[in-house]
Amino acid sequence: MKIDMTDEKLKQLFGKMRIEDEVNRPAFEQMVPKSAVVTRRYSPAWRLAAAVALIILVGAGTAIFLVSQPQSGNSPESTYESWSALSNWKAMTDNMLSIAGSKIDGTLTTATDALLEVNSEAVSAGNQRN
Amino acid sequence: MDEIEIRAQLEKHHAVSYGWALNCCSHNNTEAKDVLQQAYLKILQGRALYKGQSSFKTWLFSVIRYTAADERRRNWLRFFGLKKYADKYVGGSESEEHVNLSEKDAVSMAFKKLFTALPARQKEVLHLVFYQDMTLQEASNVMGVSIGSTRTHYERGKQNLRNMMTTSKVNYED
């Protein structure tokens, strides 16, 4: 089909479209209620600045709170307590060591002890002869 | 420009603004109303300021165009999430609409469909020139592109529309 697409024809078609669109057009008053007063809202730059200020404020508050808190975990008293607990600690075998030491001192003799006694007697006998 | 004057100007251009909002929203009536209302509020609340560098109508059209673009960007995720359901819904209502259409309405609707299928820039310039009776210079101001670029979009848009109308089965000659 050959179409005579002059500008006039296009204008006609767009004109029809405009008339059809008019049917659904809402009233101006409906679009802009009277309560829509002119209020200057904060610009995006102001909003950004406010957000940054808020973050800094919260950060500073948290830092102050943490610094003011007593650090119970690292106090000198707690360190001393943990060290003294370490020095007082005794193993189960410590008692065994002390018992074993006392018995060895009093009772245990070795084979060389008898030889020493023999040698000392011989030395004293030789001295008497001289 | 004070509030009363701005209101008067908005009211004066309301009819053409609605047509332009429809064009910016791919002829979606609900979306066009939302966009137009947002644009009006943006102007009345001082978030968009008229500095008198162009005519009020040209400036207003630019605000509507940017508002529609913002709205599209804001809703793209939601759109893709619900696209399959939206397509189904739109398809259903459209077929129902076609049932009771007269031949004259059918021609008009077919033309609107062809026009909607054009690339965005071509659609914009053809709407501004033929629907809004603007000059190419005014259209270039609204679109924010050079006059040369606007002229190119205008010629290509007309050519594309002509080709689509020739291949379609609808008789546009009456």
Side-chain angles (χ1 to χ4, degrees):
Chain A
M1 185 194 300
K2 194 187 172 192
I3 304 283
D4 179 27
M5 267 291 290
T6 58
D7 285 4
E8 279 307 312
K9 183 69 193 168
L10 269 179
K11 270 196 176 178
Q12 272 180 25
L13 288 165
F14 276 102
K16 276 182 196 169
M17 197 195 283
R18 184 162 44 197
I19 292 163
E20 283 170 15
D21 291 346
E22 287 287 310
V23 177
N24 292 323
R25 177 164 56 87
F28 179 72
E29 291 75 22
Q30 199 182 325
M31 301 295 288
V32 186
K34 284 181 181 174
S35 58
V37 288
V38 177
T39 50
R40 295 273 173 190
R41 288 199 174 178
Y42 295 109
S43 66
W46 272 107
R47 287 181 199 174
L48 183 71
V52 169
L54 188 72
I55 290 165
I56 290 170
L57 213 66
V58 168
T62 311
I64 290 166
F65 176 75
L66 289 174
V67 166
S68 64
Q69 283 284 327
Q71 294 177 337
S72 58
N74 294 325
S75 66
E77 290 81 11
S78 66
T79 310
Y80 175 75
E81 278 172 19
S82 64
W83 286 357
S84 61
L86 272 174
S87 61
N88 290 334
W89 181 79
K90 283 182 180 175
M92 294 279 283
T93 51
D94 284 358
N95 283 333
M96 289 172 74
L97 281 170
S98 61
I99 293 163
S102 63
K103 280 187 179 173
I104 287 166
D105 288 343
T107 59
L108 192 68
T109 53
T110 58
T112 51
D113 289 347
L115 285 170
L116 284 170
E117 278 176 21
V118 171
N119 283 340
S120 62
E121 281 171 9
V123 168
S124 61
N127 288 341
Q128 282 174 4
R129 257 186 243 141
N130 291 332
Chain B
M1 201 180 265
D2 64 351
E3 192 202 341
I4 298 164
E5 209 174 337
I6 290 172
R7 268 181 184 271
Q9 284 288 334
L10 290 177
E11 196 164 2
K12 183 183 163 190
H13 294 106
H14 177 60
V16 289
S17 298
Y18 177 67
W20 176 237
L22 268 176
N23 187 68
C24 292
C25 299
S26 305
H27 288 267
N28 182 323
N29 189 34
T30 314
E31 206 177 314
K33 282 178 188 172
D34 281 350
V35 164
L36 195 60
Q37 190 164 37
Q38 280 180 40
Y40 285 169
L41 286 174
K42 207 183 269 186
I43 293 165
L44 288 168
Q45 288 173 343
R47 284 182 284 152
L49 291 171
Y50 176 58
K51 291 170 184 171
Q53 289 168 342
S54 57
S55 73
F56 187 86
K57 186 180 169 185
T58 306
W59 173 77
L60 174 60
F61 275 29
S62 297
V63 174
I64 293 167
R65 185 171 166 270
Y66 281 115
T67 308
D70 279 348
E71 192 64 18
R72 270 200 303 275
R73 273 194 289 273
R74 202 173 294 142
N75 290 335
W76 75 272
L77 265 178
R78 191 168 33 169
F79 173 77
F80 282 114
L82 302 173
K83 192 178 185 304
K84 53 183 177 182
Y85 302 107
D87 285 350
K88 203 184 270 182
Y89 177 73
V90 170
S93 63
E94 201 177 350
S95 60
E96 282 167 21
E97 276 175 23
H98 276 298
V99 173
N100 295 322
L101 283 177
S102 67
E103 200 178 330
K104 216 171 183 181
D105 291 338
V107 170
S108 189
M109 184 160 271
F111 175 71
K112 193 182 264 186
K113 207 169 183 179
L114 291 183
F115 176 67
T116 314
L118 284 175
R121 292 285 194 195
Q122 294 174 13
K123 212 162 52 182
E124 281 178 353
V125 69
L126 290 184
H127 176 95
L128 292 169
V129 171
F130 291 110
Y131 189 109
Q132 305 285 358
D133 292 323
M134 280 186 170
T135 62
L136 281 176
Q137 182 62 59
E138 286 170 328
S140 73
N141 288 341
V142 172
M143 292 164 67
V145 293
S146 70
I147 179 74
S149 182
T150 307
R151 191 168 284 123
T152 308
H153 290 306
Y154 172 71
E155 293 299 340
R156 282 182 189 162
K158 278 207 300 186
Q159 185 61 46
N160 280 341
L161 205 54
R162 187 183 293 130
N163 292 343
M164 286 194 289
M165 287 167 80
T166 308
T167 51
S168 76
K169 289 171 184 173
V170 182
N171 182 14
Y172 293 97
E173 293 293 336
D174 299 334

